[in-house]
Amino acid sequence: MTKAGKREKRKYGKPGGKTYVFRLFVAGNESNSAQARVNLARICEEHIKGRYKIDAVDVLKDATAAHKNNVLVTPTLILIKPLPKVAVLGNLNDTRQVLAALRLTGDER
Amino acid sequence: MATAKRRAQGKEAGGPQKKKKGLAKVSTGIAGLDLVLGGGLPAGRVTLLSGGPGSGKSMIGLQCLIHGAGDGQPGILVMFEERAAAVRQNAWSWGWDLARLEKKNKVHLMDARLDPESVISGEFSIKGLLAILDQRIKAMGAKLILIDAADALLHLYDNPMRERRELYALHEWLLDRKLTAIMTVKTVPQGEAPSRYAFMDFMADCVIHVDQRVTAQITTRRLRVIKYRGSGYGRNEYPFIIDESGINIIPITSNVLQHRPPGPKVSSGQAWLDDVLAGGYKCGTSILIAGTAGAGKTTLACLFSRAACLRGERVLYLNFEESAESMVSNMLSPGLALQPLIKTGTLAVRSYLPEAMGIEEHLFHAMKDLDEFQPQHVVVDAISACKRMGSEQAAFEYLMRILNVCKERGITCIYINQTSGLDIVAEISGIGVSSIIDTILLLRHHPVGGAVVRQLIVMKSRGSKHSEQFHEFRITDRGMDLVKT
């Protein structure tokens, strides 16, 4: 998954706070993918409002991107920035677990 | 690898398992396996290949894929456990150049190992993988797909119901794309808890199980087709070996007796013995020469071999007792010069150490010798030594297979059996093969006065008259001479 990082050269950072860059791989509008979109948007709004960017990729339309990022299951959420990268598989229903995986617990609030 | 030859061999032993109309099949590139499967894997359907660790399942799959790549059937290998580089390296050690096939777009290796650091939160599906595969299938026109260690993927799901649902979805996906698919799955050794993937056996159209077992310190690999929807298949367990050319399944003789009728009589190599046998041995029959150590069994077989070679017929001598050199030198004593016959290529002596390998490897070597040398006559010296291939059962299987092949091809088969005691009548049968032997010659040492003389008697000679007397003979420097009494 190291190759994927090279594509992400643009800077979204605002001075002051850490900016979070996500890439969410979904498969069309299947229910798990739809849930993941909603869950991710909610989590971001609640915890890092104004400091995040979500790049959604539909694997059914862009299989190349899925291949490059080694995305085998959908939905897959990849935290690209800040490093280190993290991948979370699934519909993100378990908010506490997602927060822990994305290092958004405690001090970020 | 000698694929063409093996294929020809497969056809020859084809028998009743001819390709059926209706169900299209894809050759596996493994002649023996095609024969067991009645032509190959079901085209456009899913075949499950299950087996324990090291059983050879991935190797079988890989060989099918590589064969397909060279046969107008580009394929994709999806690996859930191994690294692509490791697979390339393994293939290379069997002489398969995967990298070249990849460059030519005939094979695509897809590393589908999940990052172990990934966090799982909630439900998901393998749509990503399928989307990537869809793209590859279109790009290369793939017809085959090998999903190696499919069970590893399913370990992601903590819920057996979802495992099953996902697998059914994958199955549907494969069928929709009309891919000829092979899925390998690990199984636990028998006797332990039933496999949690048992339902896969019901789902797939063709299920093949391979295993590796150790009996009497000799390892054998076996393969069994458990089911094959819409097709006949060989229902036995078939031994197979992995050698430098890949998977070799011992060509199975067909399940009906297709033995050729015996041919004309040929000389045994000694005029007096021809009289005893009312003309000699019949070509294409089986002959057992039994007797105690030193009674002259090997000499008798070599006399026949020499006579046949001098007539221009080829003799294959499978020796499990001594090396070719030592046999050649020992036979000089009764005046038999074998070296010139070996030189002219009419006699081939192959020496094998029985305990060096399991019966399937022995069989494989014997079949290879038979195919390459195309003999008219075969001598096996001695069947008593074949027990050292593992067990009496193994020896019996070995001898039966050789005998069947010989009978199908009209090859004369001479078995030598060493008996231990003087009461040899009870022992001669040796490993239970005597009932299928056409002619039995018994050699013994018989005490007469203060000395021991050598005697020969014909115990049986199917379809031919023969003497019923004991005949006394001597081994001289001109062969075996009858002692007139």
Side-chain angles (χ1 to χ4, degrees):
Chain A
M1 291 200 194
T2 46
K3 277 184 187 169
K6 290 174 192 164
R7 293 180 84 215
E8 207 56 51
K9 289 270 161 71
R10 288 165 291 170
K11 286 178 185 160
Y12 301 105
K14 274 188 271 174
K18 267 187 202 163
T19 298
Y20 284 77
V21 180
F22 298 104
R23 190 171 293 149
L24 179 63
F25 290 88
V26 296
N29 284 320
E30 58 142 10
S31 71
N32 284 329
S33 295
Q35 277 182 55
R37 281 174 197 263
V38 172
N39 285 333
L40 180 62
R42 179 177 47 76
I43 289 167
C44 289
E45 279 301 303
E46 283 175 12
H47 297 271
I48 44 176
K49 194 172 166 63
R51 294 191 286 130
Y52 67 92
K53 159 115 177 106
I54 299 170
D55 175 15
V57 180
D58 186 348
V59 297
L60 302 182
K61 287 178 186 149
D62 188 359
T64 311
H67 194 188
K68 277 191 181 146
N69 291 276
N70 195 27
V71 170
L72 306 174
V73 305
T74 50
T76 291
L77 171 66
I78 300 178
L79 169 63
I80 289 166
K81 262 170 53 174
L83 293 170
K85 282 212 297 188
V86 176
V88 185
L89 316 181
N91 59 19
L92 312 178
N93 269 358
D94 187 339
T95 306
R96 274 177 58 188
Q97 201 179 14
V98 176
L99 288 174
L102 300 179
R103 306 182 294 272
L104 287 176
T105 41
D107 54 297
E108 291 294 337
R109 271 170 190 262
Chain B
M1 54 184 170
T3 321
K5 198 177 75 226
R6 265 186 271 139
R7 214 181 284 153
Q9 189 178 304
K11 257 178 213 156
E12 197 178 73
Q17 296 172 341
K18 290 264 163 60
K19 200 181 236 181
K20 291 225 170 65
K21 274 178 197 163
L23 187 68
K25 296 192 178 181
V26 175
S27 166
T28 60
I30 305 167
L33 184 55
D34 279 356
L35 204 62
V36 175
L37 294 170
L41 302 172
R45 298 197 189 180
V46 177
T47 298
L48 193 69
L49 200 53
S50 65
S55 55
K57 54 189 185 309
S58 302
M59 175 105 189
I60 293 178
L62 193 59
Q63 194 165 344
C64 294
L65 196 71
I66 286 167
H67 172 75
D71 201 30
Q73 305 255 335
I76 297 176
L77 168 57
V78 184
M79 298 158 292
F80 285 112
E81 281 183 347
E82 274 186 287
R83 289 159 179 271
V87 171
R88 276 187 208 108
Q89 204 171 24
N90 295 346
W92 182 248
S93 67
W94 304 107
W96 301 328
D97 192 348
L98 271 181
R100 192 177 55 91
L101 290 170
E102 284 178 274
K103 237 175 247 163
K104 288 166 76 181
N105 238 354
K106 298 283 186 201
V107 168
H108 176 72
L109 299 192
M110 161 115 196
D111 188 339
R113 289 171 307 139
L114 275 176
D115 186 345
E117 309 254 298
S118 298
V119 179
I120 296 174
S121 165
E123 293 192 10
F124 57 85
S125 67
I126 54 167
K127 289 242 165 59
L129 173 66
L130 300 185
I132 297 171
L133 287 175
D134 257 332
Q135 197 187 36
R136 288 306 313 174
I137 291 164
K138 245 183 235 163
M140 66 189 286
K143 300 271 193 296
L144 287 175
I145 187 163
L146 168 59
I147 300 176
D148 199 23
D151 48 299
L153 171 77
L154 300 177
H155 277 305
L156 282 175
Y157 301 95
D158 45 5
N159 173 340
M161 276 299 289
R162 290 200 23 235
E163 256 175 28
R164 195 173 292 210
R165 209 173 58 206
E166 200 71 348
L167 207 64
Y168 275 115
L170 177 61
H171 186 232
E172 286 299 310
W173 182 87
L174 291 166
L175 291 179
D176 282 348
R177 275 140 194 89
K178 298 190 171 57
L179 288 169
T180 304
I182 304 168
M183 285 170 110
T184 70
V185 184
K186 287 187 284 292
T187 52
V188 289
Q190 278 177 350
E192 289 177 33
S195 164
R196 65 198 281 210
Y197 308 115
F199 69 95
M200 289 172 82
D201 287 359
F202 295 99
M203 181 188 79
D205 281 293
C206 177
V207 178
I208 302 170
H209 184 73
V210 284
D211 77 2
Q212 182 172 232
R213 66 186 81 145
V214 180
T215 328
Q217 299 177 11
I218 289 171
T219 305
T220 57
R221 298 172 186 279
R222 273 152 208 272
L223 173 149
R224 186 165 76 93
V225 179
I226 293 166
K227 77 177 228 192
Y228 196 156
R229 276 189 197 129
S231 168
Y233 57 89
R235 278 159 210 269
N236 296 330
E237 257 191 338
Y238 301 98
F240 70 96
I241 60 165
I242 298 178
D243 74 352
E244 68 280 357
S245 65
I247 302 278
N248 282 287
I249 294 186
I250 312 310
I252 327 99
T253 47
S254 47
N255 41 17
V256 292
L257 290 173
Q258 288 182 314
H259 296 172
R260 292 201 203 164
K265 284 196 171 176
V266 289
S267 172
S268 65
Q270 291 280 255
W272 64 268
L273 185 55
D274 290 346
D275 291 342
V276 169
L277 290 162
Y281 303 124
K282 274 186 185 172
C283 272
T285 63
S286 50
I287 297 134
L288 176 69
I289 300 174
T292 46
K297 303 179 298 295
T298 300
T299 309
L300 196 61
C302 285
L303 274 167
F304 168 74
S305 303
R306 187 185 59 166
C309 288
L310 293 177
R311 289 192 301 270
E313 295 155 14
R314 282 182 305 280
V315 179
L316 173 66
Y317 202 110
L318 298 173
N319 203 324
F320 295 106
E321 303 272 21
E322 56 184 345
S323 70
E325 291 77 14
S326 108
M327 183 178 123
V328 166
S329 122
N330 288 338
M331 281 303 118
L332 289 174
S333 161
L336 292 169
L338 300 178
Q339 193 57 42
L341 305 173
I342 296 176
K343 233 175 212 171
T344 55
T346 45
L347 177 67
V349 183
R350 301 274 186 270
S351 290
Y352 297 107
L353 192 64
E355 49 272 82
M357 42 198 168
I359 71 145
E360 57 269 26
E361 212 160 333
H362 272 294
L363 263 176
F364 174 69
H365 286 294
M367 293 303 159
K368 207 159 127 188
D369 292 338
L370 280 171
D371 285 337
E372 282 171 7
F373 192 62
Q374 295 284 336
Q376 276 91 7
H377 314 284
V378 172
V379 181
V380 180
D381 188 359
I383 63 175
S384 30
C386 293
K387 284 179 205 167
R388 279 151 51 202
M389 287 176 193
S391 62
E392 193 134 324
Q393 178 62 28
F396 178 72
E397 261 177 59
Y398 175 81
L399 296 166
M400 278 304 288
R401 291 263 178 90
I402 300 266
L403 197 68
N404 268 327
V405 170
C406 286
K407 289 218 161 186
E408 278 172 14
R409 301 186 188 179
I411 299 170
T412 319
C413 202
I414 297 185
Y415 283 163
I416 292 177
N417 191 23
Q418 176 162 324
T419 49
S420 50
L422 278 176
D423 177 26
I424 44 188
V425 179
E427 271 190 74
I428 52 152
S429 52
I431 327 183
V433 289
S434 66
S435 60
I436 46 149
I437 297 279
D438 297 306
T439 304
I440 298 177
L441 299 180
L442 183 56
L443 305 185
R444 68 168 187 183
H445 288 106
H446 188 63
V448 174
V452 176
V453 297
R454 289 191 166 93
Q455 292 183 326
L456 174 150
I457 190 168
V458 180
M459 299 287 291
K460 165 184 180 181
S461 189
R462 206 178 260 166
S464 166
K465 285 188 294 194
H466 63 86
S467 152
E468 285 171 344
Q469 305 284 313
F470 271 108
H471 299 273
E472 193 181 322
F473 67 92
R474 260 191 220 119
I475 298 180
T476 67
D477 53 7
R478 284 167 290 111
M480 294 167 81
D481 285 352
L482 182 69
V483 177
K484 299 225 166 71
T485 42

